[in-house]
Amino acid sequence: MARLRVGLDIGSTAVRAAEVSLGGDAPTLTRAAQVALPAGVVEDGEVRDADTVADALRDLWKRGGFRSKHVTMGVGNQRVVVREVTVPALPPNELQESLPFQVEELIPIPIEEAVLDHDVLEELEQEGRSMLRLLVVAAQRDMIDNLVAAATKARLDPIGVDLIPFALVRAVGTTDGLGLEESDAGGEALIDVGADVTNICVHERGVSRFVRILPSGGNDITAGVATQLGVTLDQAEALKRGEAVEGGPAPAEARPVAESRSNALVDEIRSSLDFYQAQSPGARVTRVLVTGGGSKVPGLLQQISQSVRAEVEPGHAFAKVRAQLKMDEVTMAEAEPLLAVAVGLALPAEAGS
C-alpha cells in the first residue's frame, strides 16, 4: 500500500506544501499548493507570528486537499549552524548521547539552547583509531519551537524538522556522479534563492559536503528597485520580474538597478563556493542548480554563470517524482521552482540518494 508524506515549507512570502505518494518504481507528487503570507509574519526564515501562520496553514490544507496532517518541516536561517567535525567512531545511540559534549566548543550556541542533529560523511582511521567525519547541525531551540508551534496550532502533526539544504539534495540533486570519474573530487552546488534567505548546499553523489545559509534573497533586490525608482514594494516586485506597472517606470529602467542588487547576492554565492573549494583541497564544483522564487529574476542565472566556473542551470523539483497535479503545463512550470523545498521535505532520504 502506498505511503503518503507531506513536506511543509514555511517561507517569508508564502506557506507551501507537497504531498508525495511512495510506492511503485518512483514517488508520485499528487498534491501541492501555496497560500500567501502577510509581510512580517515570517522574517529572515523565522516565524514571528505563529497564529497568523497557523491561519494560513489551515487555509493551505483546505485549498490543497492534503490527505495527511503528518508533516516534515524545513528550517534554514541564520540561527542554524552547520559544522564539519571528526569524532571517535561510536555506535549510533552512544554517538547521539555524546554529541553535545563533542561539539560544545565548536558551535556558537549554548548547548542547552540548541537542537542537534548530524549526518555521517565517512568513516576513517586516524593514528590507528576508527573515526567518523560528521556534518553537525545545531539550531536555536526557541526558533524550532516557534516553527513547530505554528503547525500544531493549525492541528498539523510535525513528525520531523529537516535542514532545507538537505531537502534540496533529495529534490533536485544529481546523484549520477556528474560525469566525473570516481577518483575525481568535485560536486554539485544547489542554491535556493528565497525572499529573505538563500540556502546553499554542495554535495557529492548525494552526500552533503558543505552548507551555507545567506541572510539575503529576492527581497533585497525588490527593496533596491523600490528605493531607487521611488515605487512601492509591490510595483518594484513586478518591475524586477520584467512586468509593466501602470503609471510607473518601464521595466527597462528597473533592469540595471535589479542587476546591481543581484550582483551583491551573486558575489556572496561565489564567495561561498570559493570558500568550500579552498577548505577542501582538490574539490571542484562542476554544476550549479538554482531553485526558489528568486531564481525567476530575469538574468540571475546568467549572472551566476558569469561569476562561477561551473555549468549553471535551473533545478527541477519534478525530476525525481511523477508529477500528477491538477495544473496545466504553464502553471506547473511556474510552480516548480517554488516547490523544490516542499518536495524535498516530502521525499525520504533514500529517494534522494
Side-chain angles (χ1 to χ4, degrees), residues 29 46 83 114 145 195 230 255 261 318:
L29 177 63
E46 296 186 50
R83 294 284 188 271
D145 289 344
R255 193 171 301 121
R261 287 302 181 111
F318 299 161

Side-chain angles (χ1 to χ4, degrees), residues 91-105:
N93 288 345
E94 293 181 33
L95 178 62
Q96 190 66 35
E97 290 177 6
S98 67
L99 197 60
F101 307 101
Q102 305 263 20
V103 303
E104 186 171 9
E105 296 182 0

Side-chain angles (χ1 to χ4, degrees), residues 250-333:
E253 294 182 55
R255 193 171 301 121
V257 180
E259 287 180 356
S260 176
R261 287 302 181 111
S262 297
N263 279 333
L265 175 59
V266 171
D267 284 345
E268 290 187 80
I269 291 171
R270 177 188 49 77
S271 295
S272 298
L273 299 183
D274 286 348
F275 177 81
Y276 160 69
Q277 292 173 103
Q279 294 297 305
S280 306
R284 298 184 289 124
V285 173
T286 59
R287 182 182 298 153
V288 177
L289 301 180
V290 189
T291 67
S295 68
K296 297 183 177 185
V297 175
L300 180 63
L301 267 64
Q302 288 80 1
Q303 286 178 272
I304 297 174
S305 181
Q306 291 166 5
S307 181
V308 304
R309 295 180 179 178
E311 177 185 350
V312 179
E313 302 175 1
H316 294 290
F318 299 161
K320 296 183 180 180
V321 296
R322 279 195 298 260
Q324 295 182 350
L325 302 175
K326 295 180 181 179
M327 300 178 185
D328 58 49
E329 290 187 7
V330 173
T331 304
M332 284 184 64

Side-chain angles (χ1 to χ4, degrees), residues 75-309:
V75 63
N77 56 53
Q78 291 300 289
R79 299 184 72 193
V80 178
V81 177
V82 182
R83 294 284 188 271
E84 185 178 304
V85 301
T86 301
V87 301
L90 294 171
N93 288 345
E94 293 181 33
L95 178 62
Q96 190 66 35
E97 290 177 6
S98 67
L99 197 60
F101 307 101
Q102 305 263 20
V103 303
E104 186 171 9
E105 296 182 0
L106 302 176
I107 61 172
I109 303 174
I111 207 69
E112 65 275 8
E113 299 175 11
V115 177
L116 296 178
D117 201 357
H118 69 278
D119 215 10
V120 178
L121 298 180
E122 66 174 341
E123 298 182 25
L124 65 157
E125 278 202 9
Q126 287 185 352
E127 299 177 351
R129 298 181 62 193
S130 294
M131 308 291 286
L132 295 175
R133 195 154 64 89
L134 310 177
L135 206 59
V136 175
V137 181
Q140 291 276 2
R141 187 176 299 277
D142 64 331
M143 181 268 295
I144 297 291
D145 289 344
N146 288 340
L147 180 73
V148 170
T152 56
K153 285 174 181 285
R155 299 188 180 277
L156 301 177
D157 178 19
I159 59 172
V161 178
D162 200 2
L163 192 66
I164 285 174
F166 293 168
L168 292 175
V169 175
R170 294 196 295 275
V172 303
T174 307
T175 55
D176 61 1
L178 308 176
L180 299 176
E181 296 296 328
E182 286 292 332
S183 59
D184 287 341
E188 180 177 72
L190 310 176
I191 301 171
D192 185 82
V193 183
D196 291 339
V197 177
T198 295
N199 282 272
I200 301 172
C201 183
V202 179
H203 74 103
E204 296 176 12
R205 299 177 177 88
V207 178
S208 300
R209 298 296 185 185
F210 172 79
V211 168
R212 177 158 288 181
I213 302 169
L214 304 177
S216 53
N219 280 350
D220 297 286
I221 303 171
T222 303
V225 172
T227 300
Q228 192 77 16
L229 299 184
V231 297
T232 67
L233 288 174
D234 286 344
Q235 290 173 320
E237 180 68 23
L239 290 168
K240 178 185 76 175
R241 297 185 183 280
E243 302 168 7
V245 173
E246 185 176 352
E253 294 182 55
R255 193 171 301 121
V257 180
E259 287 180 356
S260 176
R261 287 302 181 111
S262 297
N263 279 333
L265 175 59
V266 171
D267 284 345
E268 290 187 80
I269 291 171
R270 177 188 49 77
S271 295
S272 298
L273 299 183
D274 286 348
F275 177 81
Y276 160 69
Q277 292 173 103
Q279 294 297 305
S280 306
R284 298 184 289 124
V285 173
T286 59
R287 182 182 298 153
V288 177
L289 301 180
V290 189
T291 67
S295 68
K296 297 183 177 185
V297 175
L300 180 63
L301 267 64
Q302 288 80 1
Q303 286 178 272
I304 297 174
S305 181
Q306 291 166 5
S307 181
V308 304
R309 295 180 179 178

